[in-house]
Amino acid sequence: MQTIAVIGAGTMGNGIAHVFAQSGFQVNLIDISQKSLDTALATISKNLDRMVAKEKINETDKSATLANITTNTILVEGVKNVDLVVEAATENIELKLAIFKELDAACGATTILATNTSSISITQIAAATNRPEMVIGMHFMNPVPIMKLVEIIRGYSTSNDTTKAIMELAEKLGKTPTEVNDYPGFVANRILMPMINEAIETLYNGVAGVQEIDTVMRLGMAHPMGPLQLADFIGLDVCLSILNVMYEGFKNQKYAPCPLLVNMVRAKKLGIKSGEGFYDYSASRKAEIVSEQFK
């Protein structure tokens, strides 16, 4: 594989484009918004600057990485003659099904189609295409340039050849691929989201405050950040969406989102990206937090 298309220029999309480009792949970053693409390139450049400052790469490496990225606002043009597409659009099943139907028609017969979904069924996404054996989950962790894990999710029809190719590709990126099967939440979020939801329930029931809950989990359980801060970092709307997928998939009350989480999302208190969640994020503090992720 040499040429990769990444669909979506948000936090995950620009991070995925970054790691592929830094590993020497040609990357077509695609988004319907030119403003989002410009922001993504600026973010990648800033993150590379941090790596230069820490002497993890040099200026030549930075220039080569940026030179490996092209942008496009038209999907059918951006996915021509690519070896792999990694979709990193909003976590919405209708949107993803529409994208994969379009990708199936626009891409060559040998192009593998991957999705960065954190919870939506790979089997369901694959069913929107005529190549279900070549559809796979490639769930990167945030921040993508730093986190080593890539959760590789096999759909019901995903072939051994496709799985092997994506596992090997993830290793070329310097990541640690871990193969899992296609059930709601996969492994990472099936374990993580109930923990976050229980932390929100603990707050909702008045057992302890935000900082107290996070302090217990950081200092008592050696977590790098508390579950409420982590929820803010992920995005409360994303947490709610994943919990809803698992609740619908398993029909088990233990996955039902806490009413406090539901109300916060309704109130647009989504965490870092909205400026307020369980914590209040000023512009300067937000920049500081993002910078900390690249230490």
Side-chain angles (χ1 to χ4, degrees), residues 207-234:
V207 178
V210 171
Q211 292 189 9
E212 289 76 12
I213 291 168
D214 278 355
T215 297
V216 167
M217 297 305 290
R218 282 190 298 103
L219 301 185
M221 311 304 165
H223 291 195
M225 67 173 68
L228 299 177
Q229 184 185 10
L230 179 57
D232 277 353
F233 188 77
I234 293 168

Side-chain angles (χ1 to χ4, degrees), residues 16-173:
I16 293 167
H18 175 152
V19 297
F20 272 110
Q22 191 176 334
S23 297
F25 293 88
Q26 297 298 311
V27 179
N28 297 338
L29 181 58
I30 304 166
D31 197 288
I32 58 173
S33 166
Q34 184 61 52
K35 181 179 178 181
S36 294
L37 290 169
D38 294 341
T39 299
L41 289 177
T43 299
I44 293 169
S45 182
K46 288 178 183 177
N47 290 338
L48 289 168
D49 284 338
R50 293 188 183 103
M51 297 177 78
V52 170
K54 297 177 186 300
E55 299 183 346
K56 294 182 178 180
I57 62 172
N58 56 39
E59 286 289 350
T60 301
D61 297 326
K62 175 191 171 181
S63 297
T65 297
L66 293 174
N68 284 338
I69 303 173
T70 58
T71 62
N72 206 309
T73 57
I74 302 175
L75 185 143
V76 294
E77 291 183 2
V79 300
K80 286 180 180 177
N81 303 315
V82 301
D83 302 304
L84 169 71
V85 178
V86 181
E87 171 271 319
T90 302
E91 194 77 344
N92 177 285
I93 183 59
E94 289 78 16
L95 175 62
K96 291 186 186 292
L97 293 177
I99 288 172
F100 272 78
K101 185 175 181 180
E102 189 173 1
L103 288 174
D104 189 45
C107 292
T110 61
T111 302
I112 294 174
L113 306 181
T115 174
N116 184 58
T117 182
S118 57
S119 62
I120 296 171
S121 169
I122 306 304
T123 302
Q124 185 177 5
I125 291 172
T129 76
N130 292 311
R131 64 181 86 190
E133 73 284 357
M134 299 177 70
V135 178
I136 194 165
M138 199 174 188
H139 180 208
F140 290 85
M141 305 294 127
N142 186 28
V144 181
I146 302 302
M147 300 294 280
K148 292 294 185 182
L149 176 68
V150 181
E151 201 174 24
I152 306 297
I153 308 102
R154 295 184 65 137
Y156 186 85
S157 301
T158 306
S159 71
N160 290 334
D161 287 345
T162 296
T163 304
K164 182 174 182 289
I166 296 303
M167 294 283 283
E168 291 176 351
L169 179 64
E171 290 176 349
K172 290 179 181 177
L173 299 177

